[in-house]
Amino acid sequence: MAPAHQRQKHLSLALGSGGARGLAQIGVLHWLEENRDLRIKSIAGSSMGALVGGIYAAGKLDIYEEWVTALTKRDVFRLLDFAYSRSGLFSGDRLMQKLRDMLGDIDIEDLPVSFTAVATDLERGREVWLNQGSLFDAIRASIAIPTIFTPVNNDGRVLVDGGVINPIPVAPTLRDGTDICIAVTSSGREEEGVGQSADRLTGEATPPESYQKAIADFIDGVQEKLGMKEGPEPSVDMFDVVSRSIEAMQNSIARFRMAAYNPEYLIEIPMNACGLFDFHRAREMIELGYERAERVLRDS
């Protein structure tokens, strides 16, 4: 038997919400994979953390990474299918079908790593732990950002984004019997030197209409047809109001969650690293996640 200091350590991961900043969690996973004395035994994910964590647990992270790092701003917009519904701007069906086609479907019980996706029961106002049944159904519920994506009906419950109540899901990992719990949050303090323009870093030309502007134009068009376009133009559009409100809410809740639960390690991605929907900056976020994992965990 190997000495205690050489024994492989089992760890649980709590992967948080944060939209495109959650892609930094791919970099964290790469760092952990390169350190073979750390073995991931369980993952709990909320919103983007559920997406990244679930795909990793299914052993398909390399396929997803290849796809997401190739996305441009136009590609991101094309994946957003308007729902024409009072419950959300987008159905999410196009995105989820793309993921199903790319990765296939699998039940959570068949994953080699214990996995829990956290969603929010909208009617009861409580978090729901999804650890059985279709992996992608669980992910779809966990990423249902209110007003952005339509909710998911599951066993008589109306489920939305897990980050509404639990943006850093440490609690589902507490009974896993692991040596270490590592939490990753996208609500870290703002820092100078991060959040630089992806256009400057990658050379990608900014299209005349970004996906955010296209969404705003769509909303304006609907409002105009309904006779709602009266008065001066607002200083910020509805899309900005929604995304900033979600970020402010989740950042506040995340601080309270970290005060209640004390993981052995907390990896923080600065909240100004990129915008909630800047998925065209995937490569930059992955590199940032790797660097932050190295900074926090290299001497563990």
Side-chain angles (χ1 to χ4, degrees):
M1 182 175 179
H5 70 278
Q6 294 181 4
R7 183 175 63 87
Q8 187 179 55
K9 295 180 181 179
H10 290 178
L11 61 90
S12 297
L13 288 179
L15 302 180
S17 58
R21 288 195 306 278
L23 293 169
Q25 295 166 141
I26 298 176
V28 174
L29 287 164
H30 284 327
W31 192 93
L32 293 172
E33 284 287 294
E34 291 176 9
N35 290 267
R36 297 300 180 180
D37 57 330
L38 299 173
R39 179 185 176 189
I40 300 171
K41 182 178 179 181
S42 70
I43 299 173
S46 188
S47 195
M48 194 62 193
L51 177 62
V52 171
I55 292 174
Y56 173 81
K60 302 294 182 69
L61 189 63
D62 55 341
I63 300 174
Y64 174 75
E65 182 179 354
E66 181 180 1
W67 173 72
V68 77
T69 53
L71 290 178
T72 65
K73 291 181 180 181
R74 287 192 177 91
D75 293 332
V76 175
F77 178 65
R78 292 190 188 104
L79 287 168
L80 299 176
D81 43 352
F82 289 107
Y84 301 98
S85 167
R86 293 182 178 181
S87 61
L89 280 174
F90 310 108
S91 68
D93 293 340
R94 186 177 299 164
L95 172 61
M96 294 312 295
Q97 188 58 53
K98 177 66 177 179
L99 293 174
R100 285 182 186 275
D101 292 343
M102 185 190 340
L103 307 173
D105 203 358
I106 188 172
D107 286 337
I108 294 174
E109 299 95 317
D110 296 330
L111 296 173
V113 175
S114 175
F115 176 75
T116 301
V118 176
T120 299
D121 186 328
L122 192 60
E123 295 178 348
R124 295 176 177 83
R126 64 182 64 172
E127 66 183 275
V128 176
W129 296 357
L130 303 172
N131 48 28
Q132 294 181 351
S134 168
L135 171 64
F136 283 102
D137 286 350
I139 291 173
R140 173 64 180 87
S142 189
I143 67 170
I145 302 172
T147 73
I148 302 298
F149 290 116
T150 54
V152 170
N153 293 310
N154 176 281
D155 292 334
R157 302 170 298 192
V158 179
L159 302 183
V160 296
D161 193 303
V164 171
I165 287 183
N166 193 352
I168 310 178
V170 176
T173 71
L174 295 180
R175 296 184 180 180
D176 292 333
T178 54
D179 302 302
I180 298 171
C181 177
I182 298 173
V184 185
T185 176
S186 298
S187 301
R189 294 179 180 178
E190 293 188 4
E191 298 179 12
E192 294 185 5
V194 299
Q196 302 298 321
S197 169
D199 303 330
R200 182 179 64 80
L201 293 172
T202 65
E204 177 189 345
T206 302
E209 65 287 339
S210 68
Y211 56 87
Q212 181 168 330
K213 182 179 183 298
I215 293 168
D217 289 345
F218 170 80
I219 295 169
D220 288 343
V222 173
Q223 289 178 333
E224 187 172 358
K225 288 182 180 179
L226 295 176
M228 299 168 60
K229 291 288 289 181
E230 297 180 2
E233 286 292 320
S235 58
V236 292
D237 60 43
M238 189 184 83
F239 197 74
D240 273 333
V241 171
V242 171
S243 61
R244 292 180 189 180
S245 298
I246 291 170
E247 296 235 47
M249 174 193 67
Q250 293 187 347
N251 294 343
S252 179
I253 296 173
R255 288 192 290 270
F256 282 108
R257 288 283 179 172
M258 286 300 94
Y261 300 104
N262 189 26
E264 280 76 12
Y265 298 97
L266 176 64
I267 298 172
E268 299 182 85
I269 307 303
M271 59 184 297
N272 64 324
C274 76
L276 200 64
F277 300 99
D278 288 345
F279 288 93
H280 62 287
R281 300 178 66 176
R283 193 176 304 279
E284 180 188 352
M285 291 301 102
I286 293 169
E287 292 174 356
L288 177 61
Y290 186 95
E291 183 271 324
R292 294 307 161 103
E294 170 74 11
R295 180 185 299 186
V296 173
L297 301 173
R298 61 188 169 193
D299 296 324
S300 62

